Coordinates of all heavy atoms in Angstrom, one line a residue:
M65 N 50.0 30.6 58.6 CA 50.0 31.7 57.6 C 49.4 31.2 56.3 O 48.6 31.9 55.7 CB 51.4 32.2 57.4 CG 51.5 33.3 56.5 SD 53.2 33.9 56.1 CE 53.7 34.5 57.7
L66 N 49.8 30.0 55.9 CA 49.3 29.5 54.6 C 47.8 29.1 54.7 O 47.1 29.4 53.7 CB 50.2 28.3 54.2 CG 49.9 27.7 52.8 CD1 50.0 28.8 51.7 CD2 50.9 26.6 52.5
V67 N 47.4 28.5 55.8 CA 46.0 28.2 55.9 C 45.2 29.5 55.9 O 44.1 29.5 55.2 CB 45.8 27.5 57.3 CG1 44.3 27.3 57.6 CG2 46.4 26.1 57.3
N68 N 45.6 30.5 56.5 CA 44.8 31.8 56.5 C 44.8 32.4 55.1 O 43.8 32.9 54.6 CB 45.4 32.8 57.4 CG 45.1 32.5 58.9 OD1 44.2 31.8 59.2 ND2 46.0 32.9 59.8
L69 N 45.9 32.3 54.3 CA 45.9 32.8 53.0 C 44.9 32.0 52.1 O 44.2 32.6 51.3 CB 47.3 32.6 52.4 CG 47.5 33.0 50.9 CD1 47.3 34.5 50.7 CD2 48.9 32.7 50.5
I70 N 44.9 30.7 52.3 CA 44.0 29.8 51.5 C 42.5 30.2 51.8 O 41.7 30.3 50.9 CB 44.3 28.3 51.7 CG1 45.7 28.0 51.2 CG2 43.2 27.5 51.1 CD1 46.2 26.6 51.6
L71 N 42.2 30.4 53.1 CA 40.9 30.7 53.5 C 40.4 32.1 52.9 O 39.3 32.2 52.5 CB 40.7 30.6 55.0 CG 40.8 29.2 55.6 CD1 40.9 29.3 57.1 CD2 39.7 28.4 55.1
I72 N 41.3 33.0 53.0 CA 41.0 34.4 52.6 C 40.8 34.4 51.1 O 39.8 35.0 50.6 CB 42.1 35.4 53.0 CG1 42.1 35.6 54.5 CG2 42.0 36.7 52.2 CD1 43.3 36.4 55.0
S73 N 41.7 33.7 50.4 CA 41.5 33.6 48.9 C 40.2 33.0 48.5 O 39.5 33.4 47.6 CB 42.7 32.8 48.3 OG 42.6 32.7 47.0
S74 N 39.8 32.0 49.2 CA 38.6 31.3 48.9 C 37.4 32.2 49.2 O 36.4 32.2 48.5 CB 38.5 30.0 49.8 OG 37.3 29.3 49.5
D75 N 37.5 32.9 50.3 CA 36.4 33.9 50.7 C 36.2 34.9 49.6 O 35.1 35.4 49.4 CB 36.6 34.5 52.0 CG 36.4 33.6 53.2 OD1 35.8 32.5 53.0 OD2 36.9 33.9 54.3
W76 N 37.3 35.3 49.0 CA 37.2 36.3 47.9 C 36.7 35.7 46.6 O 36.6 36.4 45.6 CB 38.6 36.9 47.7 CG 39.0 37.9 48.8 CD1 38.3 38.4 49.8 CD2 40.3 38.4 49.0 NE1 39.1 39.2 50.6 CE2 40.3 39.2 50.1 CE3 41.5 38.2 48.3 CZ2 41.4 39.9 50.6 CZ3 42.7 38.9 48.7 CH2 42.6 39.7 49.9
G77 N 36.5 34.4 46.6 CA 36.0 33.8 45.4 C 37.0 33.3 44.4 O 36.8 33.1 43.3
A78 N 38.3 33.3 44.9 CA 39.4 32.9 44.0 C 40.2 31.8 44.7 O 41.3 32.0 45.2 CB 40.3 34.0 43.7
P79 N 39.7 30.6 44.9 CA 40.4 29.5 45.6 C 41.7 29.2 44.9 O 41.8 29.2 43.7 CB 39.4 28.3 45.6 CG 38.4 28.6 44.5 CD 38.4 30.1 44.4
L80 N 42.7 28.8 45.7 CA 44.0 28.5 45.2 C 44.1 27.1 44.6 O 43.5 26.2 45.2 CB 45.1 28.7 46.3 CG 45.2 30.0 46.9 CD1 46.3 30.0 48.0 CD2 45.6 31.1 45.9
T81 N 44.8 27.0 43.5 CA 45.0 25.6 43.0 C 46.2 25.0 43.8 O 46.9 25.7 44.5 CB 45.4 25.7 41.5 OG1 46.6 26.5 41.4 CG2 44.3 26.4 40.7
N82 N 46.4 23.7 43.6 CA 47.6 23.1 44.2 C 48.9 23.7 43.8 O 49.8 23.9 44.6 CB 47.6 21.6 43.9 CG 46.5 20.8 44.6 OD1 45.8 21.4 45.4 ND2 46.5 19.5 44.4
A83 N 49.0 24.1 42.5 CA 50.2 24.8 42.0 C 50.4 26.1 42.8 O 51.6 26.5 43.1 CB 50.1 25.0 40.5
N84 N 49.3 26.9 43.0 CA 49.4 28.1 43.7 C 49.9 27.9 45.2 O 50.6 28.7 45.7 CB 48.1 28.9 43.7 CG 47.8 29.4 42.3 OD1 46.7 29.2 41.8 ND2 48.7 30.2 41.7
I85 N 49.3 26.9 45.8 CA 49.7 26.6 47.2 C 51.2 26.3 47.3 O 51.8 26.7 48.2 CB 48.8 25.4 47.7 CG1 47.3 25.8 47.8 CG2 49.3 24.9 49.1 CD1 46.4 24.7 48.1
I86 N 51.7 25.5 46.3 CA 53.1 25.2 46.3 C 53.9 26.5 46.2 O 54.9 26.7 46.9 CB 53.5 24.2 45.1 CG1 52.9 22.9 45.4 CG2 55.0 24.2 44.9 CD1 53.0 21.9 44.3
L87 N 53.5 27.4 45.3 CA 54.2 28.7 45.1 C 54.3 29.5 46.4 O 55.3 30.0 46.8 CB 53.6 29.5 44.0 CG 53.8 29.0 42.6 CD1 53.0 29.8 41.6 CD2 55.3 29.0 42.2
Y88 N 53.1 29.6 47.0 CA 53.0 30.4 48.2 C 53.8 29.7 49.4 O 54.5 30.4 50.1 CB 51.6 30.6 48.7 CG 50.9 31.7 47.9 CD1 49.8 31.4 47.0 CD2 51.3 33.0 47.9 CE1 49.2 32.4 46.3 CE2 50.7 34.0 47.2 CZ 49.6 33.7 46.4 OH 49.0 34.6 45.6
A89 N 53.7 28.4 49.5 CA 54.5 27.7 50.5 C 56.0 27.9 50.3 O 56.7 28.2 51.3 CB 54.1 26.2 50.5
N90 N 56.4 27.8 49.1 CA 57.9 28.0 48.8 C 58.3 29.4 49.1 O 59.4 29.7 49.6 CB 58.2 27.6 47.4 CG 58.2 26.1 47.2 OD1 58.5 25.3 48.2 ND2 57.9 25.6 46.1
S91 N 57.4 30.4 48.8 CA 57.7 31.8 49.1 C 57.8 32.0 50.6 O 58.7 32.7 51.0 CB 56.6 32.7 48.5 OG 56.6 32.6 47.1
I92 N 56.9 31.4 51.3 CA 57.0 31.6 52.8 C 58.2 30.9 53.3 O 58.9 31.5 54.2 CB 55.7 30.9 53.4 CG1 54.5 31.8 53.1 CG2 55.9 30.8 55.0 CD1 53.1 31.1 53.4
L93 N 58.6 29.8 52.8 CA 59.8 29.1 53.3 C 61.1 30.0 53.0 O 61.9 30.2 53.9 CB 60.0 27.8 52.6 CG 59.2 26.6 53.1 CD1 59.3 25.4 52.2 CD2 59.6 26.3 54.6
K94 N 61.1 30.5 51.8 CA 62.3 31.4 51.4 C 62.3 32.7 52.2 O 63.4 33.1 52.6 CB 62.3 31.7 49.9 CG 62.6 30.5 49.1 CD 62.6 30.8 47.6 CE 62.9 29.5 46.9 NZ 62.9 29.7 45.4
W95 N 61.1 33.2 52.5 CA 61.0 34.4 53.3 C 61.5 34.2 54.7 O 62.2 35.0 55.3 CB 59.6 34.9 53.2 CG 59.3 36.1 54.1 CD1 59.8 37.4 54.0 CD2 58.5 36.1 55.3 NE1 59.3 38.2 55.0 CE2 58.5 37.4 55.8 CE3 57.8 35.1 56.0 CZ2 57.9 37.7 57.0 CZ3 57.2 35.5 57.1 CH2 57.2 36.8 57.6
G96 N 61.1 33.0 55.3 CA 61.4 32.8 56.7 C 62.7 32.1 56.9 O 63.3 32.3 58.0
F97 N 63.2 31.3 56.0 CA 64.4 30.6 56.2 C 65.6 30.8 55.3 O 66.6 30.3 55.4 CB 64.1 29.1 56.2 CG 63.1 28.7 57.3 CD1 61.8 28.4 57.0 CD2 63.5 28.6 58.6 CE1 60.9 28.0 57.9 CE2 62.6 28.2 59.6 CZ 61.3 28.0 59.2
G98 N 65.4 31.7 54.3 CA 66.4 32.0 53.3 C 66.3 31.3 52.0 O 65.6 30.3 51.8
K99 N 67.2 31.7 51.1 CA 67.1 31.2 49.7 C 67.6 29.7 49.6 O 67.2 29.0 48.7 CB 68.0 32.0 48.8 CG 67.4 33.4 48.6 CD 68.3 34.2 47.7 CE 67.8 35.6 47.6 NZ 68.6 36.5 46.7
D100 N 68.4 29.2 50.5 CA 68.9 27.9 50.4 C 68.0 26.8 51.0 O 68.3 25.7 51.0 CB 70.3 27.8 51.2 CG 71.3 28.7 50.6 OD1 71.2 29.0 49.4 OD2 72.2 29.2 51.3
T101 N 66.8 27.2 51.3 CA 65.8 26.3 51.9 C 65.3 25.3 50.8 O 65.0 25.8 49.7 CB 64.6 27.0 52.5 OG1 65.1 27.9 53.5 CG2 63.6 26.1 53.2
K102 N 65.1 24.1 51.1 CA 64.6 23.1 50.2 C 63.1 23.4 49.9 O 62.4 23.8 50.9 CB 64.7 21.7 50.8 CG 64.5 20.6 49.9 CD 64.8 19.3 50.6 CE 64.6 18.1 49.6 NZ 64.8 16.8 50.3
E103 N 62.7 23.3 48.7 CA 61.3 23.6 48.3 C 60.4 22.4 48.6 O 60.8 21.3 48.6 CB 61.2 24.0 46.8 CG 61.9 25.3 46.6 CD 61.7 25.8 45.2 OE1 61.3 25.0 44.3 OE2 62.0 27.0 44.9
V104 N 59.1 22.7 48.7 CA 58.1 21.6 48.9 C 57.7 21.1 47.5 O 57.9 21.8 46.5 CB 56.8 22.1 49.6 CG1 57.1 22.7 50.9 CG2 56.1 23.2 48.7
G105 N 57.2 19.9 47.4 CA 56.9 19.2 46.2 C 55.4 19.0 46.0 O 54.6 19.4 46.9
K106 N 55.0 18.4 44.9 CA 53.6 18.2 44.7 C 52.9 17.3 45.7 O 51.8 17.5 46.1 CB 53.4 17.5 43.3 CG 53.7 18.4 42.2 CD 53.5 17.8 40.8 CE 53.9 18.7 39.7 NZ 53.7 18.1 38.4
A107 N 53.6 16.3 46.2 CA 53.0 15.4 47.3 C 52.8 16.1 48.6 O 52.0 15.7 49.4 CB 54.0 14.2 47.5
W108 N 53.6 17.2 48.8 CA 53.4 17.9 50.1 C 52.1 18.6 50.2 O 51.5 18.6 51.3 CB 54.5 19.0 50.1 CG 54.4 19.8 51.4 CD1 55.0 19.5 52.6 CD2 53.7 21.1 51.5 NE1 54.7 20.5 53.5 CE2 53.9 21.5 52.9 CE3 53.0 21.9 50.7 CZ2 53.4 22.7 53.3 CZ3 52.4 23.0 51.2 CH2 52.6 23.4 52.5
V109 N 51.5 19.0 49.1 CA 50.2 19.7 49.1 C 49.1 18.8 49.6 O 48.3 19.2 50.5 CB 49.8 20.2 47.7 CG1 48.4 20.8 47.7 CG2 50.8 21.3 47.2
E110 N 49.1 17.5 49.2 CA 48.1 16.6 49.6 C 48.3 16.3 51.1 O 47.3 16.3 51.9 CB 48.2 15.3 48.9 CG 47.2 14.3 49.2 CD 47.2 13.0 48.4 OE1 47.8 13.0 47.3 OE2 46.7 12.0 48.8
W111 N 49.5 16.2 51.6 CA 49.8 16.0 53.0 C 49.3 17.2 53.8 O 48.6 17.1 54.8 CB 51.3 15.8 53.2 CG 51.7 15.8 54.7 CD1 51.6 14.7 55.5 CD2 52.1 16.9 55.5 NE1 52.0 15.1 56.8 CE2 52.3 16.5 56.8 CE3 52.3 18.3 55.2 CZ2 52.7 17.3 57.8 CZ3 52.7 19.1 56.2 CH2 52.9 18.6 57.5
F112 N 49.6 18.4 53.3 CA 49.2 19.7 54.0 C 47.7 19.8 54.1 O 47.1 20.1 55.2 CB 49.8 20.9 53.2 CG 49.4 22.2 53.8 CD1 50.1 22.7 54.9 CD2 48.4 23.0 53.3 CE1 49.8 23.9 55.5 CE2 48.1 24.2 53.9 CZ 48.8 24.6 55.0
L113 N 47.0 19.5 53.0 CA 45.5 19.6 53.0 C 44.9 18.6 53.9 O 43.9 18.8 54.6 CB 45.0 19.5 51.6 CG 45.4 20.6 50.6 CD1 44.9 20.3 49.2 CD2 44.9 21.9 51.1
N114 N 45.5 17.4 54.0 CA 45.0 16.3 54.9 C 45.2 16.7 56.3 O 44.4 16.5 57.2 CB 45.6 15.0 54.6 CG 45.1 14.3 53.3 OD1 43.9 14.6 52.9 ND2 45.8 13.5 52.7
R115 N 46.4 17.3 56.6 CA 46.7 17.7 58.0 C 45.7 18.8 58.5 O 45.4 18.9 59.6 CB 48.1 18.2 58.0 CG 48.5 18.7 59.4 CD 50.0 19.2 59.4 NE 50.2 19.9 60.6 CZ 51.1 19.5 61.5 NH1 51.7 18.4 61.4 NH2 51.2 20.2 62.6
H116 N 45.3 19.7 57.6 CA 44.5 20.8 57.9 C 43.0 20.6 57.4 O 42.3 21.6 57.2 CB 45.0 22.1 57.4 CG 46.4 22.5 58.0 ND1 46.5 23.0 59.2 CD2 47.6 22.3 57.5 CE1 47.8 23.2 59.5 NE2 48.5 22.7 58.5
Y117 N 42.6 19.4 57.4 CA 41.3 19.0 56.8 C 40.2 19.7 57.6 O 39.1 20.1 57.1 CB 41.1 17.5 56.8 CG 39.8 17.1 56.2 CD1 39.6 17.1 54.9 CD2 38.7 16.7 57.1 CE1 38.4 16.7 54.3 CE2 37.5 16.4 56.5 CZ 37.3 16.4 55.1 OH 36.1 16.0 54.6
D118 N 40.4 19.9 58.9 CA 39.3 20.5 59.8 C 39.0 21.9 59.3 O 37.9 22.4 59.5 CB 39.7 20.5 61.2 CG 41.0 21.2 61.5 OD1 41.9 21.1 60.7 OD2 41.1 21.8 62.6
K119 N 40.0 22.6 58.7 CA 39.8 24.0 58.3 C 39.6 24.1 56.8 O 39.0 25.0 56.3 CB 40.9 24.9 58.7 CG 41.0 25.0 60.2 CD 42.2 25.8 60.6 CE 42.4 25.8 62.1 NZ 43.7 26.4 62.5
L120 N 40.3 23.2 56.0 CA 40.3 23.3 54.6 C 39.6 22.1 54.0 O 40.2 21.1 53.7 CB 41.8 23.3 54.1 CG 42.7 24.4 54.7 CD1 44.1 24.3 54.2 CD2 42.2 25.8 54.2
Q121 N 38.4 22.3 53.7 CA 37.6 21.2 53.1 C 37.1 21.6 51.8 O 36.8 22.8 51.5 CB 36.4 20.8 54.0 CG 36.8 20.3 55.4 CD 35.6 20.0 56.2 OE1 34.5 19.9 55.7 NE2 35.8 19.7 57.5
T122 N 37.0 20.7 50.9 CA 36.6 20.9 49.5 C 35.0 20.8 49.5 O 34.5 19.9 50.1 CB 37.1 19.9 48.5 OG1 38.6 19.9 48.6 CG2 36.7 20.2 47.1
Y123 N 34.4 21.7 48.8 CA 33.0 21.7 48.7 C 32.6 22.2 47.3 O 33.3 23.0 46.8 CB 32.2 22.4 49.8 CG 32.4 23.9 49.8 CD1 31.5 24.7 49.2 CD2 33.5 24.5 50.5 CE1 31.6 26.1 49.2 CE2 33.7 25.8 50.5 CZ 32.7 26.6 49.8 OH 32.9 28.0 49.8
W124 N 31.5 21.8 46.8 CA 31.0 22.3 45.5 C 29.9 23.3 45.8 O 29.0 23.1 46.5 CB 30.4 21.2 44.7 CG 31.4 20.2 44.3 CD1 31.7 19.0 44.9 CD2 32.4 20.3 43.3 NE1 32.8 18.4 44.3 CE2 33.2 19.1 43.3 CE3 32.7 21.3 42.3 CZ2 34.2 18.9 42.4 CZ3 33.7 21.1 41.4 CH2 34.4 19.9 41.4
S125 N 30.1 24.5 45.2 CA 29.1 25.5 45.3 C 28.2 25.5 44.1 O 28.5 24.9 43.1 CB 29.7 26.9 45.4 OG 30.5 27.1 44.2
K126 N 27.0 26.0 44.3 CA 26.1 26.1 43.1 C 26.4 27.3 42.3 O 26.7 28.4 42.8 CB 24.6 26.2 43.6 CG 24.0 25.0 44.3 CD 22.6 25.2 44.6 CE 22.0 24.0 45.1 NZ 20.5 24.1 45.4
P127 N 26.4 27.1 41.0 CA 26.6 28.3 40.1 C 25.5 29.4 40.4 O 24.4 29.1 40.7 CB 26.4 27.7 38.7 CG 26.6 26.3 38.8 CD 26.2 25.9 40.2
L128 N 25.9 30.6 40.2 CA 25.0 31.7 40.5 C 23.8 31.7 39.6 O 22.7 32.0 40.0 CB 25.8 33.0 40.3 CG 25.1 34.3 40.8 CD1 24.7 34.1 42.3 CD2 26.0 35.5 40.6
D129 N 23.9 31.2 38.3 CA 22.8 31.1 37.4 C 21.7 30.2 38.0 O 20.5 30.5 37.8 CB 23.2 30.7 36.0 CG 24.1 31.8 35.3 OD1 24.0 32.9 35.7 OD2 24.8 31.4 34.4
T130 N 22.1 29.1 38.6 CA 21.2 28.2 39.1 C 20.4 28.8 40.3 O 19.2 28.7 40.4 CB 21.9 26.9 39.7 OG1 22.6 26.3 38.6 CG2 20.9 25.9 40.2
L131 N 21.1 29.6 41.1 CA 20.4 30.3 42.2 C 19.4 31.3 41.6 O 18.3 31.5 42.2 CB 21.4 31.0 43.1 CG 22.4 30.0 43.8 CD1 23.4 30.8 44.6 CD2 21.6 29.2 44.8
H132 N 19.8 32.0 40.6 CA 18.9 33.0 40.0 C 17.7 32.3 39.4 O 16.6 32.8 39.6 CB 19.6 33.8 38.9 CG 20.6 34.8 39.5 ND1 21.7 35.3 38.8 CD2 20.6 35.5 40.7 CE1 22.3 36.2 39.5 NE2 21.7 36.3 40.7
A133 N 17.9 31.2 38.7 CA 16.8 30.5 38.1 C 15.8 30.0 39.2 O 14.6 30.0 39.0 CB 17.3 29.4 37.2
N134 N 16.3 29.5 40.3 CA 15.5 29.0 41.3 C 14.7 30.1 42.0 O 13.6 29.9 42.6 CB 16.3 28.2 42.4 CG 16.8 26.9 41.8 OD1 16.3 26.4 40.9 ND2 17.9 26.4 42.4
S135 N 15.2 31.3 42.0 CA 14.5 32.4 42.7 C 13.4 33.0 41.7 O 12.6 33.8 42.2 CB 15.4 33.5 43.1 OG 16.0 34.1 41.9
L136 N 13.4 32.6 40.5 CA 12.4 33.1 39.6 C 11.1 32.2 39.7 O 10.9 31.2 39.3 CB 12.9 32.9 38.1 CG 12.0 33.5 37.0 CD1 11.8 35.0 37.2 CD2 12.6 33.2 35.7
N137 N 10.2 32.8 40.5 CA 8.9 32.1 40.8 C 7.8 33.1 40.5 O 8.0 34.4 40.4 CB 8.8 31.6 42.2 CG 9.1 32.6 43.2 OD1 8.3 33.6 43.3 ND2 10.0 32.4 44.1
P138 N 6.5 32.7 40.4 CA 5.4 33.6 40.1 C 5.3 34.8 41.0 O 5.0 35.9 40.6 CB 4.2 32.7 40.1 CG 4.7 31.3 39.9 CD 6.1 31.3 40.4
N139 N 5.5 34.6 42.3 CA 5.3 35.7 43.3 C 6.4 36.7 43.1 O 6.2 37.9 43.2 CB 5.4 35.1 44.7 CG 4.1 34.3 45.0 OD1 3.1 34.6 44.5 ND2 4.3 33.4 46.0
A140 N 7.6 36.3 42.8 CA 8.7 37.2 42.6 C 8.5 38.0 41.3 O 8.8 39.2 41.3 CB 10.1 36.4 42.6
V141 N 8.1 37.3 40.3 CA 7.8 38.0 39.0 C 6.7 39.0 39.1 O 6.8 40.1 38.6 CB 7.5 37.0 37.9 CG1 7.1 37.6 36.6 CG2 8.7 36.1 37.6
K142 N 5.6 38.6 39.8 CA 4.5 39.5 40.0 C 4.9 40.8 40.8 O 4.5 41.9 40.5 CB 3.4 38.8 40.7 CG 2.1 39.6 40.8 CD 1.0 38.7 41.5 CE -0.3 39.5 41.6 NZ -1.3 38.8 42.3
G143 N 5.7 40.6 41.8 CA 6.2 41.7 42.6 C 7.1 42.6 41.9 O 7.1 43.8 42.1
W144 N 7.8 42.1 40.9 CA 8.7 42.9 40.1 C 7.9 43.8 39.2 O 8.1 44.9 38.9 CB 9.7 42.0 39.3 CG 10.6 42.8 38.5 CD1 10.6 43.0 37.1 CD2 11.8 43.5 38.9 NE1 11.6 43.7 36.7 CE2 12.4 44.1 37.8 CE3 12.4 43.8 40.1 CZ2 13.5 44.9 37.8 CZ3 13.5 44.6 40.1 CH2 14.1 45.1 39.0

């Protein structure tokens, strides 16, 4: 459930921070196991991301301005 939430959030252009992942993980735990459930900590996020590395990988995207600048070429300008 958490992996899917992270992927969907990233697809929408709003990737979750580690703090957000902790909040969502704790919410899922409380929802599934009750209020007395122990919460996850900061070290848990790193373990979780390593465990699901095949699906959750970090990558750097190019800023949109760079893409726009690269598409500005003489043929494109002439056609416009």
Side-chain angles (χ1 to χ4, degrees):
M65 182 184 294
L66 186 56
V67 170
N68 288 336
L69 176 67
I70 293 169
L71 292 173
I72 289 169
S73 178
S74 180
D75 286 344
W76 288 347
L80 299 178
T81 62
N82 286 359
N84 291 128
I85 293 172
I86 290 171
L87 289 173
Y88 283 115
N90 287 330
S91 295
I92 291 169
L93 283 173
K94 288 180 183 180
W95 173 71
F97 298 104
K99 294 180 182 179
D100 297 333
T101 304
K102 192 174 182 180
E103 293 186 344
V104 300
K106 290 181 182 179
W108 179 86
V109 176
E110 186 175 339
W111 172 86
F112 180 81
L113 294 175
N114 285 334
R115 178 181 167 114
H116 297 282
Y117 182 78
D118 58 324
K119 296 177 186 171
L120 304 174
Q121 296 179 14
T122 303
Y123 67 94
W124 294 99
S125 62
K126 288 186 175 182
L128 192 55
D129 291 340
T130 302
L131 295 175
H132 286 154
N134 289 338
S135 66
L136 187 61
N137 58 55
N139 291 333
V141 172
K142 186 177 179 180
W144 180 256

